[in-house]
Amino acid sequence: MSTRPPRASRVTTNVALLLGALLTSLPFFWMIFSSVKPRKESVAHPPSLLPKHPTLEFFGQLFTQLNFGQYLANTLVVVAIGFVGMFLMAMAGYAFAKFRFKGRGLMFATVLATMMIPAQVTMIPTYLILNSVGLTNTLLGIALPTLVGAFSIFLFRQFMTTIPDEVLEAARIDGAGELRIFVSIVLPMSKPILAVQTVLTFIAGWNSFLWPLVIANDQSKYTLSVGLALLNQQVSTNPSLQMAGAAVMVIPILLVFIVFQRHIVQGFTLSGLK
């Protein structure tokens, strides 16, 4: 006996899902269409979704008059430093997964315990430490506090426990060093979790707002998200310009997610998280 639902039920379900998808994606499309509207259309009543005379004027204004080029460069540097941290977290996860050493369980439990400490609690001590070594108002100072994270180490550790020990032992018997085993064997076998971490690292660096606002005194060190908040204060009467800034923030994250999406579910599943 077939358990497949009736055709009418499936059609109803699909229509409900389609309507839900359209409703949840409406703010995104509103942002995109508003970013290419002339200002006169963006403040018109009643509002319309589609632009009548689309223009890219406000995207150009962001980079020629409002220093968004500098904010974008700063954000890319912060993201690049974050990827160095991703490599370090992969090494830590590999060590916890495949090496037996005294105190391993206690150290891993300590790493996990740090997830229970809110970032706001450590913000002032972190600021004082970075200020004492002269890293305030620098891009390195913005990136350092989030360079490594307990949750990412946990994900790497969970995934790398699935790598067969026999493969690593065979490489050691063939004379490969530990660094070569890690780079040539472990990392290529960890593509799904690396894809997950690439997305998480990119989003964390791209969206960094509060800490750059605290540690950077000079606007030339601001990231895109801080620049976008500054934009709201400067030009509160131009919705098209604000939407153009928001689109610059959102579209790169969407592109990264589209590129790596087929690896993300696999990476979370193999790490034991669904």
Side-chain angles (χ1 to χ4, degrees):
M1 182 177 178
S2 175
T3 58
R4 193 175 183 183
R7 179 181 176 82
S9 176
R10 283 188 283 118
V11 170
T12 304
T13 303
N14 291 338
V15 170
L17 291 175
L18 180 61
L19 289 175
L22 289 175
L23 284 175
T24 53
S25 59
L26 180 60
F28 174 77
F29 288 111
W30 188 277
M31 175 191 69
I32 297 298
F33 290 136
S34 297
S35 68
V36 295
K37 285 180 182 176
R39 183 179 176 280
K40 185 178 179 181
E41 290 185 28
S42 65
V43 296
H45 292 282
S48 61
L49 177 62
L50 299 177
K52 297 176 182 176
H53 303 92
T55 176
L56 297 177
E57 170 192 355
F58 300 106
F59 287 95
Q61 190 175 340
L62 287 174
F63 291 94
T64 57
Q65 300 179 21
L66 295 171
N67 214 20
F68 261 57
Q70 183 66 54
Y71 301 153
L72 177 61
N74 294 342
T75 305
L76 291 176
V77 171
V78 171
V79 170
I81 296 174
F83 282 118
V84 175
M86 188 178 76
F87 184 76
L88 299 176
M89 291 186 289
M91 295 178 71
Y94 175 58
F96 282 123
K98 292 299 179 184
F99 289 89
R100 304 288 182 267
F101 52 89
K102 188 175 181 180
R104 185 185 67 156
L106 179 61
M107 288 180 63
F108 188 60
T110 304
V111 170
L112 295 182
T114 61
M115 289 195 294
M116 293 185 286
I117 303 175
Q120 291 80 4
V121 174
T122 60
M123 191 168 288
I124 293 178
T126 303
Y127 180 88
L128 294 176
I129 292 172
L130 292 178
N131 188 48
S132 66
V133 295
L135 289 180
T136 52
N137 203 32
T138 64
L139 295 179
L140 185 59
I142 292 174
L144 271 183
T146 56
L147 192 63
V148 295
F151 181 65
S152 296
I153 293 174
F154 171 74
L155 286 184
F156 274 120
R157 188 257 184 193
Q158 292 299 100
F159 184 89
M160 289 175 178
T161 53
T162 65
I163 297 176
D165 293 335
E166 292 78 7
V167 175
L168 307 179
E169 290 299 328
R172 293 189 181 102
I173 292 173
D174 290 340
E178 293 300 331
L179 181 60
R180 183 177 178 185
I181 291 174
F182 177 72
V183 174
S184 302
I185 298 176
V186 175
L187 288 183
M189 295 179 71
S190 304
K191 285 181 180 177
I193 195 63
L194 285 173
V196 173
Q197 294 294 342
T198 297
V199 175
L200 295 178
T201 301
F202 183 85
I203 291 175
W206 193 263
N207 288 340
S208 55
F209 171 72
L210 182 57
W211 180 246
L213 189 62
V214 170
I215 200 170
N217 303 319
D218 187 350
Q219 288 192 16
S220 65
K221 299 296 187 297
Y222 282 174
T223 57
L224 269 178
S225 55
V226 180
L228 185 62
L230 199 64
L231 181 68
N232 291 333
Q233 300 171 4
Q234 291 175 340
V235 283
S236 58
T237 60
N238 194 338
S240 296
L241 190 60
Q242 294 172 359
M243 291 298 178
V248 170
M249 278 293 300
V250 172
I251 291 176
I253 292 177
L254 189 62
L255 293 177
V256 170
F257 179 78
I258 291 173
V259 170
F260 292 99
Q261 64 173 333
R262 68 189 182 92
H263 297 292
I264 291 177
V265 175
Q266 182 184 3
F268 274 116
T269 302
L270 294 178
S271 301
L273 299 175
K274 297 181 180 178

